[in-house]
C-alpha cells in the first residue's frame, strides 16, 4: 500500500541532499569512518524516498545547520523512488549495506521489525515521542506497543467538497452524516441529455492503493470499525461497520453518484466531482492547480453514520528510525532528537524543525501544539480539519503483512465497485484472503 500519490502537479514531495565526497562513508555499512584517519567524523547515512521537489529544499537548511554545528557527526542523505523504497530497505539490509537512519512509510513497520531492520527507540526517546505526539502518530511509529521512531509527515483524511456545486444543488453546507452524504451526492450528480455523467456527487476512485483503500478505511473508521483486529492476526472488516461501508459505496456506484474509473485528482479540480474523501497533502496541490477557483474548495470532517456518533478517520504517515545494524545508534538518535524535538524560532513563535519543515510545504506532523502555532496566523483554513483530526484519527494497521493486506483489500473493493462481486462476496473474500496474509508466519 502506498501513501496518496501525487502526479502531474500532484506528485509526492521528495528530497535528496548530498555532502562532499569526503563524507561518503556510512556508519552502518562501512568498516571505518571518513577515510580512516584519526579524528575523521562519523558519517550517518539517511535513506528516504524524498528524491526531489519541495522537501529537498525544505530539508536542506536543517541538514546544513546540523553539519555546520557538529564536527564529530555528519549526516548524508540518500534517496530512492517511493516505489523502490521498501525493497531497497530489505535488499540492502540483507546485503549488510543498510543506511543508519531510515525513513519508512509506517505501514511497513511491522514487516521491517520482523526483518530486523528497525531498532527500538531508547527509553528516553520513546518517552519524548509518546509525550510529544498525538496518539495516532505514536501508534503508527510503534509495533506491538514498542516505539521505533520519530513521526515525520502525518496525513489525516477528511471530506473535500466544492462549495459552488453544493450551492447550485441547493445544499447549504457539507454533510455531517451518511444520510446527508448520500442525499448531497445524488443532488449534486449531473448528467447530459445522453446520460453521460458531467458531475459525480461523491468521488470514489480506483486510481491507486491509497486512494481506493484510504477512502474506504476513513469511512470504516468513521463507522467505528477497523480493518485489522487488535491482535493483528485477522481482518475485522467483515463486521457491521464494514458491511455498512461496502453497502454505502455500492449504492453510490449503482445509483450513478460515483464513477470509480474516473481519476478524482483531475476531476475534482475541474469541478467534475462535488465531494471526495482524501488526505491533507492534497490541499496545497489543489491551491496550485485551481488558482482562483480554489475559493470554491471546502474541507469538513468525514461524515459519521449517525449525528450522535463519535468522530473518527484514517491517518497515515512516515517516521525516522535507526537501523538495527547501525554502528553508532547513540549519535543517530541524537540527530533525530535534534531534528524532531528541539524548538527553534519560526515567525515569532517556536516549533520543532520537522514541524516547520512540513508546514512550509503544506503538510502536518503529529505535534498538534506545533501545528496550531504554525497554522494559527494566516494559514489556509482548509488545513485545520486535518489538524483537528489528529486528535481522533485511527492509525493505518502496520502488522507484518499490512502491505499485501492493503493490496488485497483494494482488489476486492474494486471488484465490488465494478459489479464483479456483491457486498457479501467482497466481504467474504476480503476476510479469507487477508486473514491468510496477516496470520501467516513471517
Amino acid at each position: 500500500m502506498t501513501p496518496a500519490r501525487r502526479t502531474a502537479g500532484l506528485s509526492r514531495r521528495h528530497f535528496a541532499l548530498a555532502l562532499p565526497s569526503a563524507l561518503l562513508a556510512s556508519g552502518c555499512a562501512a568498516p571505518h569512518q571518513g577515510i580512516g584517519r584519526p579524528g575523521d567524523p562519523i558519517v550517518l547515512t539517511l535513506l528516504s524516498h524524498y528524491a526531489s521537489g519541495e522537501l529537498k529544499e525544505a530539508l536542506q537548511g536543517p541538514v546544513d545547520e546540523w553539519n555546520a554545528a557538529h564536527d564529530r557527526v555528519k549526516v548524508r542523505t540518500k534517496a530512492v523512488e517511493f516505489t523502490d523504497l521498501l525493497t531497497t530497505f530489505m535488499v540492502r539490509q540483507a546485503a549488510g549495506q543498510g543506511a543508519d537512519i531510515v525513513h519508512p512509510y509506517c505501514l511497513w513497520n511491522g514487516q521491517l521489525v520482523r526483518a530486523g531492520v528497525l531498532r527500538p527507540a531508547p527509553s528516553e526517546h520513546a518517552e519524548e515521542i509518546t509525550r510529544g505526539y498525538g496518539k495516532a502518530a505514536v501508534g503508527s511509529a510503534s509495533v506491538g506497543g514498542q516505539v521505533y521512531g520519530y513521526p515525520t509527515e502525518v496525513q489525516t483524511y477528511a471530506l473535500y467538497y466544492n462549495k459552488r456545486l453544493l450551492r447550485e444543488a441547493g445544499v447549504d453546507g457539507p454533510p455531517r452524516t451518511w444520510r446527508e452524504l448520500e442525499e448531497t451526492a445524488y443532488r449534486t450528480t449531473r448528467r447530459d441529455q445522453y446520460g453521460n455523467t458531467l458531475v459525480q456527487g461523491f468521488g470514489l476512485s480506483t486510481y491507486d492503493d491509497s486512494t481506493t483503500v484510504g477512502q474506504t478505511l476513513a469511512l470504516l473508521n468513521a463507522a467505528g470499525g477497523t480493518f485489522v483486529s487488535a491482535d493483528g492476526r485477522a481482518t475485522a472488516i467483515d463486521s457491521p461497520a464494514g458491511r455498512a461501508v461496502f453497502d454505502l459505496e455500492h449504492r453510490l456506484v449503482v445509483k450513478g453518484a460515483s464513477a470509480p474509473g474516473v481519476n478524482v485528482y483531475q476531476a475534482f479540480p475541474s469541478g467534475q466531482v462535488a465531494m471526495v474523501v482524501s488526505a491533507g497533502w492534497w490541499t496545497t496541490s489543489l491551491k496550485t492547480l485551481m488558482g482562483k477557483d480554489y475559493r470554491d474548495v471546502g474541507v469538513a470532517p468525514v461524515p459519521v453514520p449517525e449525528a450522535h456518533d463519535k468522530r473518527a478517520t484514517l491517518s497515515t504517515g512516515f517516521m525516522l528510525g535507526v537501523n538495527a545494524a547501525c554502528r553508532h545508534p547513540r549519535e543517530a538518535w541524537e540527530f533525530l532528537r535534534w531534528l524532531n524535538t528541539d524548538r527553534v524560532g519560526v515567525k515569532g513563535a517556536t516549533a520543532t524543525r520537522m514541524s516547520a519543515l512540513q508546514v512550509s510545504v503544506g503538510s502536518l506532523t503529529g505535534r498538534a501544539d506545533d501545528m496550531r502555532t504554525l497554522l494559527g496566523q494566516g494559514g489556509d483554513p482548509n488545513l485545520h480539519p486535518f489538524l483537528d483530526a489528529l486528535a481522533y484519527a485511527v492509525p493505518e494497521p502496520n502488522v507484518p503483512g499490512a502491505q499485501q493486506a492493503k493490496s488485497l483489500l483494494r482488489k476486492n473493493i474494486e471488484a465490488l465497485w465494478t459489479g464483479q462481486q456483491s457486498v457479501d462476496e467482497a466481504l467474504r473474500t476480503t476476510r479469507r484472503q487477508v486473514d491468510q496474509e496477516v496470520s501467516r508466519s513471517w
Side-chain angles (χ1 to χ4, degrees), residues 25-43:
S26 163
C28 176
H32 56 269
Q33 305 306 316
I35 58 175
R37 298 178 303 201
D40 277 352
I42 294 169
V43 182

Side-chain angles (χ1 to χ4, degrees), residues 157-158 178 213-223 277 302-303 312-314:
Y157 281 65
W178 285 10
V213 176
Q215 293 170 314
T216 300
L217 292 189
L219 289 167
L220 177 65
N221 294 151
V277 170
V302 174
T313 188
L314 176 70

Side-chain angles (χ1 to χ4, degrees), residues 156-162 165-166 174-175 181 184-185 188 200-207 210-212 214-216 218-219 252 257-259 262-269 272-282 286 290 297-303 386 417:
T156 56
Y157 281 65
L159 181 78
Y160 288 90
Y161 63 98
N162 187 304
L165 293 177
L166 266 63
L181 175 67
T184 302
T188 52
Q200 291 182 67
F202 187 80
L204 296 173
S205 181
T206 59
Y207 184 68
S210 289
T211 306
T212 303
Q215 293 170 314
T216 300
L219 289 167
L252 289 168
S258 298
V262 174
N263 181 349
V264 294
Y265 297 121
Q266 295 176 355
F268 184 85
Q272 297 172 309
V273 174
M275 300 177 292
V276 63
V277 170
S278 192
W281 66 262
W282 201 20
L286 286 172
M290 296 179 70
V297 176
V299 177
V302 174
F386 299 102
W417 290 354

Side-chain angles (χ1 to χ4, degrees), residues 166-418:
L166 266 63
R167 186 171 57 250
E168 290 174 353
V171 179
D172 294 332
R176 294 160 295 179
T177 67
W178 285 10
R179 174 176 288 183
E180 293 177 358
L181 175 67
E182 280 199 78
E183 290 175 351
T184 302
Y186 301 141
R187 289 176 66 173
T188 52
T189 298
R190 287 171 32 206
R191 295 181 180 82
D192 63 18
Q193 59 181 326
Y194 304 106
N196 299 312
T197 300
L198 300 175
V199 175
Q200 291 182 67
F202 187 80
L204 296 173
S205 181
T206 59
Y207 184 68
D208 61 13
D209 269 3
S210 289
T211 306
T212 303
V213 176
Q215 293 170 314
T216 300
L217 292 189
L219 289 167
L220 177 65
N221 294 151
T226 58
F227 177 33
V228 177
S229 61
D231 63 5
R233 306 299 292 178
T235 182
I237 200 168
D238 191 3
S239 63
R243 180 174 295 277
V245 173
F246 277 29
D247 277 337
L248 171 65
E249 294 180 345
H250 184 253
R251 287 195 302 272
L252 289 168
V253 173
V254 169
K255 294 183 179 181
S258 298
V262 174
N263 181 349
V264 294
Y265 297 121
Q266 295 176 355
F268 184 85
S270 301
Q272 297 172 309
V273 174
M275 300 177 292
V276 63
V277 170
S278 192
W281 66 262
W282 201 20
T283 304
T284 301
S285 296
L286 286 172
K287 188 181 301 184
T288 300
L289 284 170
M290 296 179 70
K292 63 181 179 60
D293 289 335
Y294 180 72
R295 64 190 176 192
D296 292 331
V297 176
V299 177
V302 174
V304 291
E306 302 293 340
H308 61 272
D309 289 343
K310 187 176 180 180
R311 292 206 181 281
T313 188
L314 176 70
S315 77
T316 63
F318 290 79
M319 71 162 210
L320 281 166
V322 176
N323 196 316
C326 178
R327 293 173 57 189
H328 298 278
R330 185 174 66 83
E331 289 81 0
W333 284 113
E334 176 57 24
F335 168 73
L336 293 184
R337 185 204 63 76
W338 176 89
L339 180 63
N340 292 282
T341 72
D342 276 9
R343 307 186 76 80
V344 295
V346 183
K347 296 182 179 179
T350 63
T352 64
R353 291 175 175 86
M354 181 56 68
S355 290
L357 185 161
Q358 293 295 338
V359 169
S360 74
V361 293
S363 187
L364 304 176
T365 68
R367 288 188 175 273
D369 55 345
D370 278 359
M371 295 301 99
R372 290 192 178 90
T373 296
L374 294 169
L375 298 178
Q377 299 295 328
D380 186 342
N382 280 340
L383 286 175
H384 287 271
F386 299 102
L387 167 59
D388 295 340
L390 290 173
Y392 58 76
V394 178
E396 194 173 27
N398 62 5
V399 296
Q403 176 65 71
Q404 181 63 15
K406 188 172 184 178
S407 296
L408 291 169
L409 176 57
R410 175 191 178 184
K411 178 181 177 181
N412 286 290
I413 291 171
E414 291 181 355
L416 171 68
W417 290 354
T418 57

Side-chain angles (χ1 to χ4, degrees), residues 67-151:
N67 287 324
H70 295 79
D71 293 331
R72 195 176 69 87
V73 179
K74 304 292 183 180
V75 176
R76 177 174 64 93
T77 63
K78 295 183 177 181
V80 297
E81 292 300 323
F82 177 79
T83 52
D84 299 324
L85 188 61
L86 178 58
T87 300
T88 302
F89 286 148
M90 302 295 283
V91 171
R92 290 190 180 181
Q93 193 75 6
Q97 298 177 351
D100 301 284
I101 299 170
V102 293
H103 192 200
Y105 178 30
C106 289
L107 176 75
W108 306 331
N109 283 349
Q111 182 174 347
L112 294 175
V113 168
R114 190 69 64 91
V117 175
L118 293 176
R119 179 188 295 267
S123 58
E124 64 271 23
H125 293 272
E127 290 169 5
E128 168 60 35
I129 292 164
T130 302
R131 181 173 59 250
Y133 293 83
K135 184 177 179 181
V138 175
S140 293
S142 302
V143 176
Q146 172 68 58
V147 177
Y148 281 88
Y150 283 91

